Amino acid sequence: MNQPIVYLVGAGPGDYGLISLKAIECIKQADTIVYDRLADDRLLDQARPNVELIYVGKASSDHTMRQEDINQLLVDKAKENKIVVRLKGGDPFVFGRGGEEALTLLANGIPFEVVPGITSAISVPAYAGIPVTHRGIATSFAVITGHEDPTKGESGMKWDKLATAVDTLVFLMGVENLPHITAKLVEYGRPADTPAAVIRWGTKPEQEVLVTTVGTAAGDVAARGLKPPAIFIVGQVVTLRDKLAWFDNKPLFGKKVLVTRAREQASILTDGLAKLGADCMEAPAIKIVPPASYEPLDAAIACLQEYDWLIFTSVNGVEHFFARMAAAGLDTRAIKAKVAAIGSPTAARLKGYGIVADIIPAEFRAEGVIEALKPHITPSMKVLIPRALVARDILPEKLTELGACVNVAPAYRTVTGDTDGQELAAALAAGSIDLVTFTSSSTVTNLLALLGQDGARLVAKAKVACIGPITAETCLTHGIKPDIIAEEYTIKGLIEAITTLYGIG
């Protein structure tokens, strides 16, 4: 039985990568995660499959759960002998009310630990190219709440000292009170022309930066319609943004990209595009599941020594094949056949199992495999192809024409993903998605199934990138014209094609 404990964990300012190793360790072992709206959803993917997730998110003037109830929830879950993670945006003790939660836990005899997070007070300005201190410009900075406890009788702010005593002022959660904040700063001596900036959704692909001054900030924010979450930074350091801006200068910054790949594999494409600044929306159109029966594959593995060639057409085929080998109590020593792999990712996954492919065709599709295999196939050779239940038949057909005895054994199947089709259709209809990526024919057909009868028209509102000509043909069959087709039929090739599409590189 678990020893109950509550971890008060800082999730950082928004960028998925800005979280500590210790925080990830806590998430992985948690029985219950109590999280707010500023914690990136991908952090929850690190949790165990059976974890209990409780959302208690707070937006300005819109609280899903009162703080007192959150405090009690942590106590109640710990008393169920659970390991509880309270996942909070930023740092638990920097205006995160983590101290209140800790005191409640202490009063109830619940052990707790605090896992600090990177506060938005320094990280958000940094992502905007604004250092909170800089030699010769600012030697001090202060972090100030943008809204005080509304139950207090009078303000605890010492505006007469705060306004001019510190070089850089960082107000968290202060957008709605900006007229009051800027008026007080000017009243107590901060020049109205002091450089300032408002940064919304800092460190995330949606980041917006408004450079202004103390005197004009409130009006500029109202005119631009900036809403929380945002920080307000005041000081001469803001002038450095012109030279130091880096995050929103990335080549794909501001582009919303739809990733339709299976959830288990989407991260590779998402990570590659995110490094270029893209805002990736993962909406898996397909899900990889076992075939209705493993019997044909298991039977082939049982007589594996009879085969002359093993042909793997995808990473999924490799994974499921070796999983069934393990289930049969076998390892790579049972493979006597020569091995061919379509695509460098497939070959790389084979290497992970200690198998170096004998043939990796220059062209990463079935036609390329056939050309590469022609000199090596003789009549009566036995060929095993562990692949998807539904796939193109050209490879086994052509090998049969060469005289080979071909066994196509279903290793997995693709089904429609669990993405919310209506939500996705609304995003496409609104024009908020710039680019749709397709990594296989099944991602095309299944996305259209999710979107309904108007799917092709909705997809056409965005640009379309395909991993190769076969996927592109499927798009055309359904009335979707691809804007670009990768020359190398891999995720790396697709990313390169996307950068070309936007005139980068």
Side-chain angles (χ1 to χ4, degrees):
M1 183 177 290
N2 289 332
Q3 287 293 330
I5 187 170
V6 176
Y7 293 101
L8 303 175
V9 177
D15 184 327
Y16 168 70
L18 296 180
I19 190 167
S20 68
L21 290 174
K22 184 168 184 178
I24 292 294
E25 289 172 2
C26 292
I27 291 170
K28 286 182 175 179
Q29 64 177 309
D31 300 305
T32 299
I33 299 177
V34 179
Y35 66 103
D36 65 31
R37 80 178 187 122
L38 297 182
D40 192 300
D41 287 344
R42 285 175 293 177
L43 297 176
L44 302 179
D45 293 339
Q46 301 292 322
R48 299 185 306 188
N50 60 343
V51 69
E52 179 184 25
L53 299 174
I54 302 175
Y55 176 67
V56 295
K58 299 178 184 179
S60 180
S61 304
D62 181 15
H63 291 195
T64 299
M65 186 180 291
R66 296 184 312 141
Q67 184 62 48
E68 295 78 6
D69 296 331
I70 296 174
N71 298 348
Q72 189 58 47
L73 175 65
L74 299 178
V75 172
D76 293 342
K77 289 300 174 182
K79 285 184 175 179
E80 294 174 11
N81 290 313
K82 291 183 174 181
I83 296 173
V84 182
V85 165
R86 172 68 174 108
L87 191 61
K88 307 165 74 70
D91 178 90
F93 281 6
V94 179
F95 304 128
R97 305 190 75 170
E100 296 171 47
E101 293 167 351
L103 288 171
T104 301
L105 294 168
L106 181 65
N108 285 271
I110 305 296
F112 67 88
E113 290 186 16
V114 179
V115 181
I118 299 177
T119 175
S120 60
I122 57 173
S123 56
V124 168
Y127 267 57
I130 303 171
V132 293
T133 64
H134 187 80
R135 186 169 181 171
I137 296 178
T139 59
S140 60
F141 72 97
V143 182
I144 309 126
T145 179
H147 63 264
E148 295 182 85
D149 185 344
T151 63
K152 291 168 62 175
E154 59 182 43
S155 173
M157 295 281 201
K158 296 179 174 57
W159 290 105
D160 57 330
K161 298 179 175 61
L162 182 65
T164 57
V166 180
D167 294 317
T168 305
L169 303 175
V170 182
F171 292 87
L172 304 187
M173 307 165 290
V175 171
E176 293 183 331
N177 287 336
L178 210 51
H180 174 72
I181 292 170
T182 53
K184 285 295 182 182
L185 289 176
V186 173
E187 179 184 349
Y188 287 98
R190 198 78 169 199
D193 62 355
T194 302
V198 177
I199 310 165
R200 183 174 190 265
W201 283 120
T203 79
K204 295 176 71 70
E206 305 97 308
Q207 176 175 293
E208 291 182 70
V209 182
L210 170 64
V211 175
T212 180
T213 66
V214 170
T216 60
D220 290 345
V221 165
R224 182 121 155 210
L226 288 178
K227 303 292 183 184
I231 74 163
F232 179 50
I233 180 169
V234 175
Q236 293 298 322
V237 289
V238 173
T239 62
L240 292 168
R241 171 171 163 75
D242 287 341
K243 294 180 179 178
L244 301 183
W246 61 275
F247 182 59
D248 38 11
N249 286 342
K250 287 191 171 188
L252 293 181
F253 185 83
K255 301 296 182 185
K256 185 96 169 182
V257 180
L258 181 66
V259 176
T260 59
R261 211 172 185 215
R263 190 175 302 279
E264 299 84 357
Q265 299 164 331
S267 60
I268 301 172
L269 178 55
T270 296
D271 290 347
L273 293 173
K275 286 178 180 177
L276 296 170
D279 179 7
C280 294
M281 178 181 180
E282 289 188 357
I286 63 172
K287 183 163 56 175
I288 307 300
V289 298
S293 172
Y294 276 120
E295 286 184 13
L297 180 59
D298 289 345
I301 288 173
C303 54
L304 198 56
Q305 68 281 356
E306 298 178 8
Y307 288 94
D308 300 288
W309 279 95
L310 258 175
I311 301 177
F312 292 98
T313 61
S314 70
V315 169
N316 291 316
V318 174
E319 293 287 7
H320 285 76
F321 175 81
F322 281 97
R324 296 314 296 172
M325 280 192 68
L330 301 174
D331 58 27
T332 53
R333 290 173 295 181
I335 299 175
K336 308 302 181 186
K338 290 186 177 297
V339 177
I342 297 183
S344 49
T346 306
R349 192 58 56 94
L350 281 168
K351 274 190 177 181
Y353 287 99
I355 300 291
V356 177
D358 296 280
I359 290 179
I360 307 172
E363 186 182 5
F364 295 163
R365 57 176 175 161
E367 290 83 349
V369 177
I370 293 161
E371 288 303 312
L373 281 173
K374 265 184 180 179
H376 307 281
I377 297 294
T378 57
S380 300
M381 273 190 171
K382 296 191 71 174
V383 178
L384 175 61
I385 308 176
R387 67 173 197 182
L389 180 62
V390 177
R392 297 172 73 221
D393 291 326
I394 186 170
L395 178 58
E397 288 175 356
K398 291 297 183 181
L399 289 171
T400 300
E401 289 176 8
L402 293 174
C405 301
V406 183
N407 180 9
V408 178
Y412 64 95
R413 59 195 172 102
T414 59
V415 298
T416 302
D418 52 10
T419 294
D420 186 331
Q422 290 186 335
E423 181 181 335
L424 188 54
L428 285 164
S432 59
I433 295 174
D434 298 291
L435 177 71
V436 178
T437 62
F438 291 118
T439 55
S440 66
S441 291
S442 58
T443 60
V444 179
T445 54
N446 287 0
L447 177 65
L448 292 176
L450 284 167
L451 294 174
Q453 62 180 5
D454 222 15
R457 184 185 65 81
L458 290 171
V459 172
K461 285 180 169 287
K463 292 185 180 298
V464 173
C466 293
I467 200 167
I470 303 303
T471 304
E473 285 173 17
T474 305
C475 280
L476 290 169
T477 299
H478 290 87
I480 301 169
K481 183 180 179 182
D483 292 274
I484 198 162
I485 304 166
E487 294 182 6
E488 179 184 310
Y489 315 146
T490 64
I491 295 301
K492 177 175 175 287
L494 181 59
I495 292 172
E496 289 175 352
I498 291 169
T499 58
T500 300
L501 177 66
Y502 287 104
I504 305 159

